[in-house]
Amino acid sequence: IYIDSDKSFIGGGEDNFIHDNSDESFIGGGDSNKIAEGSHLSTIVGGGSNQIYSGSYYSLIGGGFENRISDTAFASTIVGGRENKAYADTDYATIVGGLQNKIHDETDYGFIGAGILNQISEDCDKSVIVGGHLNTNYSGSGKSFMGAGQQNDIHTNTTYGFIGTGLLNQIYDNSDYSVIVSGRENRI
């Protein structure tokens, strides 16, 4: 624990760090976990090589390996999984397990349930991907929902888009309030 990290605590493990000015932060075991400077009231519980970057107040990583919460991501959460990332300024973002899922910059209240290589791009507030593989919600497509499936895409500036499940379904740019329930290679 470094300078001026008042009331912070590391409860076991190896090579864990709480850096400067991260008051009331907690690392509960694990290996090579780090809470960077200025990340007050943040927590890493176990796992390995997890990091909460600078200025990410009230953030949580609950286990897993090589998960990242980037700079100034207020109250964001990653629970388990591997190589999941909440990027900068993703306030209240949540990733629950999976592999290499990403919520990009300035996407507040984004949620990825699990799966592999799912992405919610920048400026997609309140968007959800429940699971699946290689599903993408592109920039500016806030308040959109994907249930599961594989390689489904909601493209740029499509608010309130909905893809339930399926394979290779696409909702293209500026197609607000569009719905694909299921199937394969459907296009709007």
Side-chain angles (χ1 to χ4, degrees):
I1 298 176
Y2 285 85
I3 301 168
D4 294 327
S5 288
D6 298 336
K7 302 176 191 167
S8 292
F9 179 78
I10 296 175
E14 182 178 350
D15 199 28
N16 295 308
F17 293 96
I18 297 174
H19 289 274
D20 300 345
N21 299 311
S22 291
D23 297 341
E24 300 179 56
S25 291
F26 173 81
I27 296 177
D31 181 40
S32 302
N33 295 308
K34 293 177 179 45
I35 297 175
E37 62 278 347
S39 292
H40 304 292
L41 298 152
S42 290
T43 301
I44 298 175
V45 181
S49 299
N50 295 307
Q51 291 187 27
I52 296 175
Y53 287 84
S54 300
S56 293
Y57 289 68
Y58 303 105
S59 290
L60 166 72
I61 297 177
F65 183 70
E66 292 184 351
N67 293 308
R68 305 280 185 264
I69 296 177
S70 293
D71 298 328
T72 63
F74 184 82
S76 289
T77 303
I78 297 175
V79 180
R82 181 175 180 162
E83 298 174 35
N84 296 305
K85 187 170 184 180
Y87 283 78
D89 299 317
T90 53
D91 298 345
Y92 307 102
T94 301
I95 300 173
V96 182
L99 174 65
Q100 295 180 353
N101 294 304
K102 296 175 182 171
I103 299 176
H104 288 274
D105 302 322
E106 298 182 18
T107 294
D108 297 339
Y109 305 98
F111 177 87
I112 297 177
I116 302 169
L117 295 165
N118 295 305
Q119 292 189 61
I120 298 175
S121 298
E122 61 278 344
D123 195 27
C124 290
D125 292 350
K126 300 176 183 129
S127 290
V128 174
I129 299 175
V130 177
H133 181 217
L134 284 168
N135 296 307
T136 303
N137 190 15
Y138 287 92
S139 63
S141 295
K143 302 171 193 81
S144 293
F145 178 91
M146 281 190 249
Q150 183 172 336
Q151 292 177 282
N152 296 306
D153 297 322
I154 297 175
H155 288 269
T156 306
N157 297 324
T158 298
T159 56
Y160 298 101
F162 178 95
I163 297 176
T165 188
L167 175 65
L168 295 166
N169 294 305
Q170 309 281 318
I171 297 176
Y172 288 109
D173 297 354
N174 303 307
S175 297
D176 297 345
Y177 302 96
S178 295
V179 175
I180 298 173
V181 176
S182 185
R184 179 180 175 146
E185 297 183 42
N186 295 300
R187 312 272 191 269
I188 296 178

